[in-house]
Amino acid sequence: MKRFFYSMLLTAMSATMLVSCGGGKSNTFKIDGTCGGGITDSAYIVHLIDPISMVANQNADTICVKDGKFAYQNDTLKNPAIIFLQAIFPGGSVFQGYADILALPGETAKMEINNGWYVLAGNGIYDQWGDFDKVLTEKEWALNDLQQKLQNCQSQEEFDAVYPEYYSKVIESKNFPYTYMRQNPDKAEGILAFMLTRRRYPLTDSLTGVPEKVLNGVLKPLIDNQIKQEADQKKARAEAEARDKAAQEATAEGKMFVDFEAEYDGKVQKLSDYVGKGKYVLVDFWASWCGPCRQEIPNIIDVYNKYKGDKFDVIGVAVGDDPADTKQAIAEDNIPYNQILNTGDIAATVYGIRGIPHIILFGPDGTILARDLRGGMIEDAVKKALGK
């Protein structure tokens, strides 16, 4: 079925040559393509990606479209790889999206590309891919229609009437590839190839019922690698959550503040430059790119203007933000209080902050009085601390 080109980030480049002479038939992968939409003469850049390391070739090949047709051949493909086709329009501009398919040694993929969409077919695995893609696309369009209907709701009642069906379709769409694969074991290899290429479908605990010959076939290295990556990611998340929990316990309400420092433009700033100096200090952990952070700033400015003085101050701490972007946001939002710039992830790590904005009120001696303040809670906490 027709699908949009997917925008992809190439994480690294290596010096692997895309095409060379020699090699037997078993190592040859081909694309037999047609290009519609009135584009009869153009070109495509071919990026070959190692599906395990996700590293792209440095010397991308270019194939020409002539009379609406194009062809690609790689004679040295010993293992499955991911192919990204990036369009070059007749005027020379390069389309930023990609058509992505799994390239298999000894196979020929037939592609029909039309106005940023493509259809994939071929023998065996590519026919299976195409059949699944058609069914999945129809479901995704139905979900898109419901999403549009939801966005066009004019009242809460209308929204409440549509949302249950939309939510049900979201869950169905999320589970569909696995359900369809188990219901159609004869197409499992093509469906898995699709899922591995998209790299957005978890495989751990999801392969029950898939034929062993598929799991142990040509896709086995890719399946094993993705499952390992998922295990590594799960372990990393668990470790991060454990670190954050420990940091949160160490900086809970009633605990003494934990210091950190950051360097910017030759100057080192510490939290202790402001906290523990005899004032109540409201500290806003924020970033210029964070919409909710920017929405909270007017509340913080209002509290600052009302209560600033010998007993109270406000400090901003830029988290995971480029200092130039932070400074631009400060100017745009007319933020009057001091800032600690360029903290990277150190400030969030020290305080176990998993989401921003995160606003903390410190006492005059540095004791943490309140965490995770938002909206009206900010002024309430400050007034209570100041005895207002």
Side-chain angles (χ1 to χ4, degrees):
M1 186 63 180
K2 297 178 179 178
R3 299 188 64 84
F4 281 115
F5 284 3
Y6 283 82
S7 295
M8 302 292 291
L9 176 65
L10 303 185
T11 56
M13 306 295 278
S14 71
T16 304
M17 292 297 293
L18 185 63
V19 179
S20 66
C21 297
K25 181 179 180 181
S26 62
N27 291 339
T28 298
F29 168 74
K30 298 179 181 179
I31 297 177
D32 181 9
T34 59
C35 192
I39 300 178
T40 57
D41 297 287
S42 185
Y44 287 97
I45 303 172
V46 182
H47 303 274
L48 179 65
I49 314 296
D50 176 70
I52 293 180
S53 66
M54 287 305 289
V55 174
N57 62 291
Q58 186 174 13
N59 301 295
D61 199 9
T62 302
I63 54 178
C64 295
V65 178
K66 184 67 174 177
D67 297 328
K69 296 181 179 181
F70 64 93
Y72 167 77
Q73 179 170 324
N74 186 314
D75 293 320
T76 61
L77 193 65
K78 296 181 180 180
N79 300 299
I82 295 174
I83 293 286
F84 291 159
L85 293 182
Q86 185 178 28
I88 305 174
F89 294 123
S93 60
V94 178
F95 186 53
Q96 293 305 304
Y98 293 85
D100 48 348
I101 64 173
L102 188 65
L104 299 170
E107 298 289 346
T108 297
K110 296 182 179 180
M111 295 187 70
E112 179 185 346
I113 300 178
N114 193 335
N115 290 329
W117 302 72
Y118 74 88
V119 180
L120 187 65
N123 294 326
I125 199 167
Y126 296 115
D127 274 337
Q128 297 168 16
W129 172 310
D131 290 344
F132 169 71
D133 196 11
K134 178 180 179 180
V135 178
L136 180 63
T137 301
E138 290 171 351
K139 287 188 171 294
E140 288 180 342
W141 276 120
L143 182 61
N144 288 340
D145 290 343
L146 272 177
Q147 185 176 25
Q148 187 63 50
K149 187 176 180 181
L150 203 63
Q151 292 172 346
N152 292 335
C153 288
Q154 299 299 312
S155 66
Q156 186 64 45
E157 291 76 12
E158 191 177 352
F159 181 92
D160 291 342
V162 176
Y163 184 77
E165 182 183 3
Y166 170 74
Y167 181 77
S168 175
K169 293 293 184 184
V170 168
I171 299 301
E172 180 184 338
S173 177
K174 181 179 180 181
N175 295 328
F176 176 72
Y178 310 104
T179 303
Y180 189 84
M181 183 166 54
R182 286 191 288 269
Q183 292 174 344
N184 299 270
D186 58 319
K187 299 180 180 179
E189 196 167 35
I191 299 168
L192 267 175
F194 178 94
M195 294 164 66
L196 287 161
T197 303
R198 295 295 183 263
R199 303 183 69 82
R200 67 173 187 248
Y201 298 102
L203 296 185
T204 305
D205 303 323
S206 300
L207 299 176
T208 303
V210 178
E212 287 295 324
K213 65 178 182 179
V214 173
L215 298 179
N216 294 320
V218 67
L219 301 178
K220 179 175 171 55
L222 311 186
I223 295 169
D224 292 346
N225 179 71
Q226 182 164 323
I227 290 175
K228 180 180 181 302
Q229 287 182 342
E230 290 170 13
D232 291 344
Q233 291 165 1
K234 182 178 180 180
K235 180 181 178 182
R237 286 193 298 269
E239 291 174 347
E241 289 172 1
R243 287 195 301 269
D244 289 342
K245 183 179 180 180
Q248 290 164 6
E249 290 173 351
T251 58
E253 294 177 6
K255 301 280 188 176
M256 186 61 64
F257 84 101
V258 178
D259 203 10
F260 60 82
E261 66 180 43
E263 181 179 358
Y264 174 65
D265 199 22
K267 180 181 178 181
V268 175
Q269 286 184 294
K270 300 179 180 181
L271 184 63
S272 57
D273 293 337
Y274 306 96
V275 172
K277 300 293 186 182
K279 290 185 179 183
Y280 292 94
V281 181
L282 189 73
V283 179
D284 176 26
F285 295 83
W286 72 293
S288 65
W289 45 262
C290 168
C293 298
R294 304 288 289 271
Q295 292 171 7
E296 200 68 75
I297 283 173
N299 295 328
I300 300 172
I301 292 176
D302 183 57
V303 170
Y304 173 74
N305 289 333
K306 283 183 181 180
Y307 302 105
K308 65 181 178 180
D310 293 339
K311 294 184 177 181
F312 177 73
D313 199 0
V314 174
I315 302 297
V317 175
V319 176
D321 204 11
D322 185 286
D325 294 335
T326 306
K327 293 169 71 174
Q328 181 177 340
I330 291 170
E332 291 173 350
D333 294 347
N334 296 310
I335 300 176
Y337 43 83
N338 289 320
Q339 300 282 335
I340 300 178
L341 305 180
N342 200 38
T343 69
D345 62 0
I346 183 62
T349 299
V350 166
Y351 283 86
I353 296 172
R354 299 186 65 82
I356 53 176
H358 193 95
I359 300 165
I360 301 177
L361 180 63
F362 295 87
D365 64 348
T367 300
I368 298 169
L369 301 180
R371 287 190 58 148
D372 204 14
L373 299 170
R374 297 291 295 270
M377 297 167 59
I378 299 171
E379 185 171 4
D380 289 346
V382 172
K383 287 173 65 176
K384 179 180 179 181
L386 296 174
K388 301 290 186 178

